[in-house]
Amino acid sequence: MGQEPLLCISKMIGLIMCFLNTGRQLFSSCNIHTYILLLFSGYCIVASSGKSIMLKFVVSSTKTVCELDSDKRYVLYTICVRQNTLREDLDPSYIQRRYTQFLELYNSLKKDFSSLMSTFNFPKKVMVGNFSSALIACRSAYFVSLLEHIIKETRLREAQCTMAFFQDVELAEAKNLMNANKYDQALSTLENLFKLLNRVYTDRSHIVIMSLCRLVACGIGGSSATSSENAVLAGPTERWAKLALHRFDGVSDTDLLSLYVPLLKSCILIWKTLGKDSKSLEDTLDNMKRVGMRVDNSSSLSEAIEKLEESSSI
């Protein structure tokens, strides 16, 4: 049965008691900033009285779930990610993570960036009471604090373990769906993932461009889709294909450029499926061929992504 932290007086009291015992660690974790815990509508929002934070992380809900093929239970935390601007972000991103995944992220960052993590302490595992309202509320606050600490430090944000934390669960889900030929469901998962990564990282960063290309590859159904499947997904994929082409205008990463020809060919397929003029894209390919670039026997976009994933572990 799902649990909503911070919704009732008992949970609020539990959170206050938790902070009385461990609050110094939380409040000292992010330099000189003073954090205020706002309790309303089931949300736990950490706001800074100092420098403005670009993203707002909110533990919007929790639920207790059972592991597959096991009687073991754990708490799954739903984190809402919004742009922290004057204009309301009406299209937030959501990720679901459990305590052990946050702990793994913290331990990896502590090991690789000890100086940047020296002031941040993480709640330890407990033998009993894992499902108590007080503990769930306390952990929620720590998770928000950890994510905001990471976002403010470039080296923490761009660490491999951080990128893995933000994308690996959804990538695995999307790949499983595509393997089952459920490209429409995979596309929805990848769209939410791209929106998240696009908030956390720069427009033309490696992880964001890869995410965009995955969207396009999924939208054309990989290498096994029928023409009818391509037609169904071509419409919603077109916007991502256009954005990918635009973002590639400023890309200088040699590895990412290996995706450009497969991307162009994928876009041509989408344009033709939708009955749109693809001549400009075809001309671009012809011009690349004239200057000696290999364009005829290139891999499909999904194959090119797989090769790049293997070589870069992104």
Side-chain angles (χ1 to χ4, degrees):
M1 182 177 179
Q3 297 186 53
E4 299 284 344
L6 312 179
L7 286 179
C8 64
I9 295 177
S10 62
K11 295 179 182 180
M12 293 171 66
I13 293 175
L15 180 62
I16 293 171
M17 294 300 294
C18 177
F19 281 164
L20 288 177
N21 294 324
T22 60
R24 290 191 182 90
Q25 295 176 351
L26 174 64
F27 293 141
S28 64
S29 63
C30 296
N31 301 324
I32 62 173
H33 294 286
T34 301
Y35 284 90
I36 306 170
L37 191 68
L38 304 179
L39 309 177
F40 63 99
S41 302
Y43 289 95
C44 171
I45 301 176
V46 178
S48 172
S49 62
K51 183 179 178 181
S52 175
I53 299 173
M54 294 180 63
L55 294 180
K56 181 184 294 182
F57 295 93
V58 176
V59 178
S60 58
S61 66
T62 67
K63 63 180 179 180
T64 302
V65 298
C66 292
E67 294 183 356
L68 293 176
D69 303 321
S70 173
D71 293 332
K72 293 182 178 180
R73 298 185 302 156
Y74 63 89
V75 178
L76 194 62
Y77 297 79
T78 298
I79 298 99
C80 173
V81 187
R82 297 178 183 272
Q83 292 284 356
N84 189 20
T85 60
L86 294 177
R87 179 179 296 179
E88 183 180 2
D89 186 352
L90 299 178
D91 189 23
S93 300
Y94 294 90
I95 56 173
Q96 291 186 318
R97 299 292 184 267
R98 55 190 294 186
Y99 170 86
T100 54
Q101 291 167 318
F102 278 100
L103 179 61
E104 181 180 356
L105 173 63
Y106 169 77
N107 286 335
S108 296
L109 292 174
K110 185 77 171 178
K111 177 182 177 182
D112 296 336
F113 304 96
S114 57
S115 61
L116 295 178
M117 299 295 293
S118 61
T119 60
F120 194 96
N121 293 284
F122 197 77
K124 297 179 180 179
K125 288 185 176 181
V126 297
M127 298 303 295
V128 295
N130 279 324
F131 308 106
S132 71
S133 299
L135 182 65
I136 290 174
C138 186
R139 284 181 171 179
S140 296
Y142 271 99
F143 296 160
V144 168
S145 182
L146 174 62
L147 292 175
E148 292 194 338
H149 180 64
I150 290 171
I151 289 302
K152 292 189 293 183
E153 295 284 355
T154 301
R155 283 181 290 171
L156 298 180
R157 185 172 64 249
E158 296 181 354
Q160 288 290 334
C161 60
T162 302
M163 291 189 284
F165 174 85
F166 279 126
Q167 71 170 353
D168 279 7
V169 172
E170 287 71 26
L171 274 184
E173 178 186 348
K175 289 178 180 179
N176 288 335
L177 288 169
M178 286 188 284
N179 289 336
N181 291 325
K182 298 179 180 179
Y183 291 99
D184 55 340
Q185 296 178 43
L187 187 66
S188 177
T189 298
L190 291 173
E191 284 179 343
N192 185 61
L193 176 59
F194 167 73
K195 292 174 183 178
L196 169 68
L197 297 177
N198 199 49
R199 285 178 166 91
V200 176
Y201 299 96
T202 57
D203 287 356
R204 291 175 172 82
S205 61
H206 193 122
I207 191 172
V208 170
I209 295 297
M210 286 284 283
S211 183
L212 263 178
C213 289
R214 289 190 187 99
L215 269 170
V216 178
C218 178
I220 62 173
S223 58
S224 60
T226 64
S227 58
S228 61
E229 288 172 331
N230 285 336
V232 169
L233 295 179
T237 305
E238 182 189 12
R239 60 177 293 207
W240 304 119
K242 288 181 177 179
L243 182 58
L245 290 174
H246 172 71
R247 294 279 178 91
F248 258 96
D249 285 344
V251 167
S252 58
D253 186 317
T254 303
D255 290 336
L256 286 176
L257 290 175
S258 66
L259 301 178
Y260 189 54
V261 170
L263 174 64
L264 282 172
K265 290 186 174 181
S266 297
C267 290
I268 290 171
L269 174 60
I270 293 171
W271 270 228
K272 288 184 175 180
T273 301
L274 295 174
K276 297 189 176 183
D277 185 9
S278 61
K279 186 177 184 304
S280 62
L281 299 179
E282 293 171 353
D283 289 344
T284 299
L285 280 178
D286 288 339
N287 291 334
M288 295 173 70
K289 187 175 181 179
R290 290 193 189 98
V291 298
M293 297 184 67
R294 182 180 176 182
V295 299
D296 291 331
N297 298 316
S298 63
S299 304
S300 68
L301 184 55
S302 58
E303 292 170 340
I305 291 171
E306 288 179 4
K307 291 179 182 178
L308 190 52
E309 284 178 333
E310 292 174 357
S311 63
S312 61
S313 299
I314 296 296

